[in-house]
Structures are given as C-alpha cells and as structure tokens.
Amino acid sequence: MIEEQAELCPEIEKSFELIGKRWTGLIIYVLFSGPKRFSEIHTLIPDLSKRVLTERMKELEGHGIVLRHVIPERPIRTEYLLTKKGNELAKILGPISQWAIKWMKVK
C-alpha cells in the first residue's frame, strides 16, 4: 500500500517515466510469456512502428530490463527476453492488465 506521505524520489520518478512511455508496458507484457523475435513483437503489437520498437528495445536493454540474445545458428536469429529485473517488473503489469479488462472497456 502506498503511504500517504510518501515522497517521490528520483528512482520512482525515473521508473514511472520509463513505464509511462508509449508502448513500453505492452512490450514488457508481451515478453513476459517468453522470448520473442523482433518480428513477433511487432506482429503482437501491430500499431507499434518498427522505428519506435527499435528505440524502446534499446532503451529497455540499456536499463537491464530486456536482454538481446543472438542465436548463432544459420540463419542467425535475434531474440529478446526479459532479465530477472524485467520479469519482476512484468509481474506488476499482470494485475494492471486484469484491472484494464475489468475497467477499460473499448467502445
């Protein structure tokens, strides 16, 4: 539970800024079910442009939330998966998705 007099600290502000960026939460949510290739993520979130997806993936990788894994088989493939840090964040998004299904009806 959030304390009434909780003070915002830079870490909390930075976290909400990151999660609040358009598409970031959905990308993390999609990766929670397991590793995905770039094209799979793009297919699952079709309104997300490839340019923005590339930006978000680099940002999430830079924050240690997503790991870019190159599979050296022929043909060479790249998968993205959540790190331990990313999985902990994704667990928080589960209840948000349940809330969304209940309260955010799309007309």
Side-chain angles (χ1 to χ4, degrees):
M1 183 117 197
I2 300 173
E3 296 178 20
E4 283 184 42
Q5 299 298 322
E7 291 185 34
L8 294 181
C9 64
E11 293 82 3
I12 292 173
E13 286 184 43
K14 188 174 183 177
S15 298
F16 275 92
E17 182 182 321
L18 176 66
I19 296 167
K21 283 191 175 177
R22 190 161 190 201
W23 306 113
T24 300
L26 277 177
I27 293 167
I28 295 167
Y29 183 77
V30 163
L31 288 174
F32 191 52
S33 62
K36 305 272 185 298
R37 294 174 62 185
F38 185 92
S39 60
E40 290 176 295
I41 298 167
H42 187 257
T43 300
L44 292 167
I45 312 172
D47 292 337
L48 170 59
S49 73
K50 290 181 179 181
R51 180 186 62 79
V52 173
L53 177 55
T54 299
E55 286 175 14
R56 294 298 181 266
M57 296 309 287
K58 286 180 181 177
E59 188 172 24
L60 291 169
E61 188 178 2
H63 284 286
I65 294 170
V66 169
L67 178 67
R68 182 177 181 267
H69 180 243
V70 177
I71 301 168
E73 299 172 351
R74 290 277 185 222
I76 294 175
R77 297 178 309 162
T78 302
E79 288 185 335
Y80 295 90
L81 59 142
L82 294 175
T83 62
K84 182 178 178 184
K85 182 178 180 180
N87 273 301
E88 286 186 29
L89 178 56
K91 288 177 188 175
I92 297 166
L93 298 178
I96 293 172
S97 67
Q98 292 169 356
W99 176 87
I101 291 166
K102 182 175 180 179
W103 294 102
M104 300 297 292
K105 302 297 180 196
V106 177
K107 294 178 182 182

